Amino acid sequence: MCGIVGYIGKKPAFPILLAGLKRLEYRGYDSFGFSVLDGKKPFLFKKTGKISQFEQEFPDPNGEIGIAHTRWATTGAVTDANAHPHFDCKKEIFLVHNGIIENYQEIRNQLIKEGHKFNSECDTEVLSHLIEKHFRGNLEEAVRETLREVKGTYGIAVVSKRDPQKIVVARLSSPLLLGIGQDEFLVASDPAAVITHTRQVINLDDNEIAVLKPGNFFILKEKPLETIEWERGEAEKKGYPHFTIKEIMEQPESLENTLKGRLLINEGTAKLGGLEAIQDKLRKIKRLNIIACGTARHAALVGEYMLEEYANIPAEVDSASEFRYRKPVLDKDTAAIFVSQSGETADTLAALKEVKQRGLITLGIVNVVGSSVARETDAGIYIRSGPEIAVASTKATTSQIAALALLTLFLGRQRDMALVMGQRITKELAKIPELVKKILEQDVQIEELAEKYKNFDNFMYIGRKYDYPTAREGAHKIKEVAYVHAEGCRGGELKHCELALIDENFPTVAICPSNSVYEKMMSNIEEIKARGGPIIAVATEGNEDIKNLVDDVIYIPKTLEMLTPILALIPLQLFAYHSGVLRGHNVDKPRNLAKSVTVE
């Protein structure tokens, strides 16, 4: 939920830390801090608020070793004292941390008995005091002894005035990578922080410790170099006012990248190199569990419909945060699919470990190469949508749905999906990027619609079959970026509860493309209209009749029913984005939320 960056080399560390931290601010932005070793006196600066508010106050320390952090509060309130880096009693050891120390209170109480003085409420501070306790001249040995005592998750970077020519980093269920440059090394929790310096990285695995020194580094075992696939400019706004709108507008390209080289139209199937090594095992699978959180879970719900209807495999979507606690019934004929943009979502990783212990086949659908989900699953699909900086996911969501459609083709053609059906799906998937471009051309009209509805504080989003998850995600988006209460509901369920909410001050967004449940959706719209509720419809191009029933219409092109959610989500994303901007909110960094949820 937070961002880490560290540097050791021959250049002044502070400007590099500052630039890296700005690139990570989307990971957490309630406070930030720096620590730089300059050979004389350690420099420490930490504040609540955003970096831009304090840039004029920053001094210019000369040290060539330093660490920095941007925080999204978990344990401890948003205060200067709780900001990172944290330090020991003598202000000689400095540490930044992502994750959560579950037994911190027990450790803290014991350290206080031993005479340690604490400066914050934050769980992280116990780590710096434990390292102080175990320090006997070698920083990495003190870190190793400390980590044996803690329970929880961590990605940490540590520097010390008492062992000054190194940065020690360690990881357990919280992402960390090493950036390998020319006579310099970086550590970061996200590739965005190192991309301006190097594209050569090493992703740390759980329970690994790395020691960075000027000119060299070592870790517990040899690890191969990987290459970051992103280009530097992909993590910049490129003239857009916000990352959110930039990433919405990038969806024709991101979807094309997801599909590129994977559609075999003549064969009516998908080429998924990441699955080929286990395709014989997948042919024997009789059931699928799809496990995800938040927006990824909505994409998974679309996949559930696809896989059951076209691959003829029973599928069930689980919320990762609940999966381990409900004792799911899983057998050897079940495979589990883990969907995560970052590949580092703590709840999803915890569920993955649970499934692996039971010996099931595990698949990942992720965006970040080298992420934990990518490394720990048996096989998977990279969605290849590029860096997503805004907290609210947009282009990764549509690419996740496209990847699930590819998986449906792959598994369906292994079974009883007819060639002609496979060819039809591949042809329609190939058209999707161009159809998305057509929807994005309506941006101005959708902004006008957001202006019309900007003062409403409640919305109902409804859909049926494939577009029930679409409704869920539409409501999710407007809650995230516009702070508007919204309900995402099955159209057929309204009469059992939600109709009680409808009146002239409670608009409904009805996703009603011309598909197998269109007539049923018209009945649900009539129910809302009879109660005086304003209605915005998302309908298929050419449907003029719907204008007689609703207040406003957004049109999307016609496609296969299973692919409609990709198209229907685009106007809902735009509507949420413009609503948030018009209501004066920071749409890239919604309050109380962070991009990568690395704690339970």
Side-chain angles (χ1 to χ4, degrees):
M1 312 274 269
C2 312
I4 287 174
V5 60
Y7 175 83
I8 184 168
K10 297 181 178 180
K11 301 172 186 173
F14 185 76
I16 296 170
L17 297 175
L18 177 59
L21 215 58
K22 286 180 178 178
R23 288 177 174 271
L24 293 187
E25 202 171 13
Y26 74 99
R27 297 286 298 260
Y29 37 85
D30 57 42
S31 58
F32 66 93
F34 306 86
S35 179
V36 176
L37 302 183
D38 64 3
K40 300 176 185 177
K41 180 181 178 182
F43 163 77
L44 177 67
F45 185 97
K46 54 182 190 172
K47 284 282 188 180
T48 57
K50 295 180 173 59
I51 296 169
S52 58
Q53 296 174 259
F54 298 97
E55 283 195 69
Q56 301 305 313
E57 298 181 24
F58 294 153
D60 190 16
N62 296 318
E64 297 168 347
I65 302 172
I67 55 176
H69 188 271
T70 182
R71 181 177 188 244
W72 186 84
T74 51
T75 302
V78 180
T79 65
D80 289 353
N82 287 336
H84 297 219
H86 287 278
F87 47 85
D88 64 322
C89 295
K90 298 178 181 178
K91 277 197 175 182
E92 294 179 335
I93 295 168
F94 300 88
L95 179 144
V96 292
H97 167 227
N98 288 351
I100 189 164
I101 305 303
E102 294 172 1
N103 60 336
Y104 85 96
Q105 194 63 59
E106 172 188 338
I107 295 171
R108 180 186 177 106
N109 292 341
Q110 180 59 38
L111 288 167
I112 289 172
K113 288 180 183 178
E114 294 172 8
H116 288 260
K117 305 294 184 184
F118 280 77
N119 297 283
S120 76
E121 308 164 308
C122 192
D123 60 326
T124 298
E125 192 180 354
V126 301
L127 296 174
S128 56
H129 287 275
L130 274 176
I131 294 170
E132 176 188 24
K133 174 181 175 179
H134 294 303
F135 188 85
R136 298 178 186 87
N138 182 286
L139 183 58
E140 60 265 33
E141 287 303 317
V143 170
R144 291 178 73 177
E145 287 190 49
T146 292
L147 296 180
R148 293 188 184 110
E149 296 188 30
V150 302
K151 297 177 183 178
T153 61
Y154 53 79
I156 62 171
V158 192
V159 295
S160 173
K161 178 183 176 182
R162 299 168 68 186
D163 193 4
Q165 294 300 305
K166 64 181 63 166
I167 302 175
V168 178
V169 301
R171 172 223 158 104
L172 178 63
S173 299
S174 188
L176 273 185
L177 60 86
L178 310 180
I180 312 302
Q182 187 67 38
D183 296 323
E184 63 182 2
F185 303 104
L186 295 96
V187 58
S189 53
D190 189 297
V194 306
I195 192 69
T196 57
H197 295 276
T198 180
R199 295 176 69 183
Q200 301 300 301
V201 299
I202 292 175
N203 285 282
L204 291 184
D205 286 331
D206 281 353
N207 299 305
E208 288 190 330
I209 297 175
V211 181
L212 311 180
K213 297 182 177 182
N216 67 83
F217 71 97
F218 64 88
I219 50 182
L220 293 180
K221 63 182 178 180
E222 190 73 18
K223 292 180 67 64
L225 287 173
E226 301 173 35
T227 299
I228 298 172
E229 299 297 330
W230 304 347
E231 297 295 337
R232 174 177 174 176
E234 290 185 88
E236 298 173 351
K237 290 181 184 175
K238 292 185 177 179
Y240 285 98
H242 303 97
F243 279 110
T244 304
I245 187 63
K246 171 181 176 284
E247 289 157 11
I248 291 172
M249 292 297 178
E250 286 175 342
Q251 285 175 106
E253 180 183 353
S254 60
L255 284 160
E256 185 175 345
N257 288 337
T258 303
L259 300 170
K260 189 181 297 180
R262 290 169 163 171
L263 292 174
L264 302 178
I265 293 177
N266 290 336
E267 293 89 343
T269 189
K271 179 177 176 56
L272 298 173
L275 303 186
E276 288 175 358
I278 63 165
Q279 59 184 334
D280 290 339
K281 292 181 179 179
L282 291 174
R283 189 174 280 111
K284 301 173 184 176
I285 290 301
K286 296 179 181 178
R287 186 175 185 83
L288 291 167
N289 275 71
I290 315 175
I291 300 166
C293 290
T295 289
R297 183 172 177 271
H298 299 149
L301 285 167
V302 178
E304 177 184 68
Y305 282 102
M306 290 179 181
L307 288 158
E308 291 194 337
E309 184 167 2
Y310 289 97
N312 198 29
I313 305 175
E316 180 180 2
V317 174
D318 277 291
S319 175
S321 62
E322 294 293 326
F323 180 78
R324 289 183 300 155
Y325 306 111
R326 73 172 187 86
K327 295 185 178 179
V329 178
L330 304 171
D331 58 41
K332 60 182 177 60
D333 296 322
T334 299
I337 305 170
F338 296 85
V339 186
S340 170
Q341 189 282 136
S342 68
E344 303 293 351
T345 308
D347 287 314
T348 304
L349 287 171
L352 172 55
K353 290 178 181 178
E354 175 78 14
V355 169
K356 288 182 72 173
Q357 287 176 357
R358 301 193 188 196
L360 273 63
I361 293 174
T362 57
L363 306 178
I365 295 179
V366 298
N367 192 30
V368 180
V369 175
S371 62
S372 295
V373 168
R375 295 200 308 277
E376 294 181 20
T377 47
D378 296 312
I381 305 169
Y382 284 117
I383 65 173
R384 306 191 303 210
S385 63
E388 193 177 64
I389 305 301
V391 168
S393 182
T394 51
K395 64 177 181 175
T397 310
T398 50
S399 284
Q400 286 165 348
I401 296 172
L404 285 160
L406 292 171
L407 180 63
T408 299
L409 273 170
F410 184 89
L411 298 177
R413 292 289 286 135
Q414 280 189 329
R415 290 162 171 78
D416 57 1
M417 181 190 288
L419 172 62
V420 65
M421 178 54 71
Q423 290 173 332
R424 186 180 177 198
I425 293 171
T426 54
K427 288 175 183 177
E428 288 298 318
L429 269 170
K431 297 176 186 176
I432 287 293
E434 287 301 317
L435 298 183
V436 169
K437 284 183 184 177
K438 289 184 65 177
I439 300 170
L440 292 172
E441 291 171 0
Q442 301 179 64
D443 180 46
V444 172
Q445 296 96 302
I446 295 171
E447 183 178 9
E448 291 172 354
L449 204 60
E451 174 72 39
K452 176 179 176 180
Y453 287 89
K454 70 179 182 181
N455 293 322
F456 287 95
D457 293 324
N458 299 283
F459 278 84
M460 188 75 69
Y461 284 69
I462 63 169
R464 300 182 78 135
K465 200 176 176 180
Y466 286 99
D467 288 312
Y468 162 60
T470 310
R472 289 286 302 267
E473 176 59 15
H476 190 94
K477 277 291 154 287
I478 202 165
K479 284 187 281 191
E480 279 184 302
V481 302
Y483 312 157
V484 169
H485 167 251
E487 303 262 354
C489 302
R490 293 178 172 89
E493 291 294 301
L494 286 174
K495 62 181 71 68
H496 298 289
C497 176
E498 284 79 10
L499 274 180
L501 300 172
I502 296 298
D503 61 18
E504 67 277 7
N505 296 313
F506 208 127
T508 294
V509 179
I511 298 93
C512 51
S514 301
N515 58 19
S516 64
V517 291
Y518 176 76
E519 297 300 332
K520 300 295 184 184
M521 280 295 296
M522 290 304 98
S523 297
N524 301 142
I525 289 173
E526 290 278 12
E527 292 168 351
I528 293 166
K529 187 178 177 66
R531 281 125 181 118
I535 304 168
I536 304 169
V538 177
T540 303
E541 287 178 349
N543 182 356
E544 295 296 320
D545 292 341
I546 197 160
K547 291 180 179 178
N548 299 320
L549 194 59
V550 303
D551 298 270
D552 296 282
V553 185
I554 304 170
Y555 285 110
I556 60 173
K558 184 172 181 57
T559 188
L560 286 179
E561 184 172 11
M562 67 178 282
L563 302 179
T564 300
I566 298 176
L567 302 184
L569 279 175
I570 307 299
L572 303 185
Q573 293 170 351
L574 287 169
F575 184 71
Y577 165 75
H578 289 301
S579 297
V581 171
L582 290 165
R583 291 168 73 97
H585 302 312
N586 185 341
V587 291
D588 283 347
K589 301 172 184 177
R591 66 189 181 198
N592 305 331
L593 301 177
K595 183 64 176 173
S596 183
V597 183
T598 54
V599 296
E600 284 196 74

